[in-house]
Amino acid sequence: MANESTTSTLNDITNDHIVVPHMIAALSERPGLEMLAKQFDLTGPFASPTMKLPVETPWWGTANDDGAGVDTEFDGSQLVDVSNTSASTGSVTISAGEYVVGQEITDYVLEDSIRGIDLFMLLRDKHIFAIDLAMTDDFCALFAGLSNSVGSSGSNLTVAQAISAQQGLRIRGAESDTTMYVLDNQQSLDIETDLMSTNAAAAVLALSADRLIGYAPTPDHGMGASRVIMRLRGNLPVVATGLTDTANAGADVVGACYCASSATNDAGGATTFGHVWKRLPRLETDRIVAGRSTLMVTSARWGCGELQDGSGGAIITDA
């Protein structure tokens, strides 16, 4: 038949699309790893953005020194005066930098957006998310500064290297009840591939090797917000992220095995990293009358740094 009435002929009273009040969120890395460092508070009446922490220097020798610091140093004899033993300290500092996001929203956007989506709340939540992500990125950048490392430039991460990273913490004297791995996404792929490969040692000593490795995948295989893909050495969580830094002109990536903050680790000096707040996240708005718009600004002052070098180890392997 001819002369039908269609959406083309009635285009003035029909819609070619309807905007539905459901925002599809963008895929992204997950923030928050920095919260596993020891927290310090410089908000309030503190006149400096930098904190300084004293660090004890062991006068009784160091871990894994075959007893060289105590084998004869504290031997006593009758009628022989004791000699003085000098005690000293060092220090570490952590400074807070500023993070800020600003967006100017015109009145037209607020007036003409569809009902069902609170644009102001949507933007506010993403401000906090973006700042948290930037903080996590700066925290992961600390891994490359650790003095001790495992891995080989240009080569994939192996299970043996991951185990060596944890063993290094113990050998250097860390006493920890909260130890973890943070691996680059490529490193997590490497180690899962290595776990699935066969070798002579696994074939001959399968049960012993399994107990030594202590591998257990998480129920969601890292698909949840925690990004914990597995546990190694019995109960050590392994987090995968795409926020780690590169090394050696981009040829490698840098993960880490370190001691997270806990009551035990903080008290015993094992906590590897710390972070400090100078200004908690703050959202402010400014009405711009001349421009008929509203400026939204979210800011924070925060910093992170290394507390105990020996209780962490970088994992540097092929990107």
Side-chain angles (χ1 to χ4, degrees), residues 41-305:
D41 184 5
L42 287 185
T43 61
F46 296 98
S48 173
T50 300
M51 70 171 186
K52 182 177 180 180
L53 298 168
V55 177
E56 186 177 44
T57 301
W59 43 262
W60 51 87
T62 59
N64 199 40
D65 68 354
D66 299 317
V70 293
D71 51 1
T72 61
E73 282 74 7
F74 306 119
D75 293 350
S77 298
Q78 184 176 221
L79 298 178
V80 176
D81 291 343
V82 64
S83 60
N84 287 322
T85 299
S86 176
S88 63
T89 59
S91 65
V92 296
T93 60
I94 300 177
S95 297
E98 187 175 33
Y99 299 79
V100 61
V101 178
Q103 290 180 316
E104 185 176 339
I105 313 300
T106 67
D107 289 352
Y108 280 30
V109 173
L110 297 174
E111 294 163 353
D112 298 346
S113 60
I114 64 171
R115 296 179 180 180
I117 293 181
D118 189 332
L119 187 61
F120 185 87
M121 297 294 287
L122 176 68
L123 294 176
R124 180 208 64 178
D125 292 346
K126 292 306 180 184
H127 281 207
I128 298 297
F129 179 85
I131 287 176
D132 194 6
L133 204 63
M135 291 175 176
T136 304
D137 180 67
D138 286 346
F139 173 74
C140 290
L142 297 176
F143 301 162
L146 292 167
S147 299
N148 301 280
S149 66
V150 301
S152 178
S153 178
S155 299
N156 292 347
L157 175 63
T158 66
V159 172
Q161 290 168 341
I163 291 175
S164 177
Q166 178 270 319
Q167 290 172 328
L169 310 189
R170 172 180 52 79
I171 290 170
R172 294 189 293 274
E175 180 181 348
S176 171
D177 67 350
T178 310
T179 307
M180 64 183 297
Y181 293 87
V182 175
L183 301 181
D184 180 85
N185 285 327
Q186 182 59 54
Q187 292 176 324
S188 69
L189 293 173
D190 292 343
I191 198 168
E192 288 184 325
T193 300
D194 196 38
L195 283 164
M196 291 185 291
S197 65
T198 59
N199 57 70
V204 176
L205 302 171
L207 291 178
S208 296
D210 180 64
R211 295 189 185 103
L212 176 67
I213 296 168
Y215 165 74
T218 55
D220 66 0
H221 297 276
M223 295 300 293
S226 73
R227 289 298 194 252
V228 177
I229 60 172
M230 68 178 79
R231 294 183 181 273
L232 286 178
R233 305 293 275 165
N235 198 37
L236 307 187
V238 180
V239 177
T241 180
L243 294 173
T244 58
D245 276 7
T246 60
N248 301 319
D252 302 312
V253 287
V254 186
C257 179
Y258 65 93
C259 300
S261 178
S262 70
T264 297
N265 289 0
D266 294 349
T271 303
T272 310
F273 302 111
H275 69 102
V276 58
W277 288 103
K278 182 62 178 175
R279 181 199 305 151
L280 295 174
R282 181 173 68 199
L283 172 66
E284 298 172 292
T285 60
D286 185 21
R287 179 62 186 166
I288 304 174
V289 178
R292 287 89 66 211
S293 60
T294 300
L295 177 62
M296 297 175 55
V297 175
T298 304
S299 66
R301 294 180 72 188
W302 176 90
C304 57

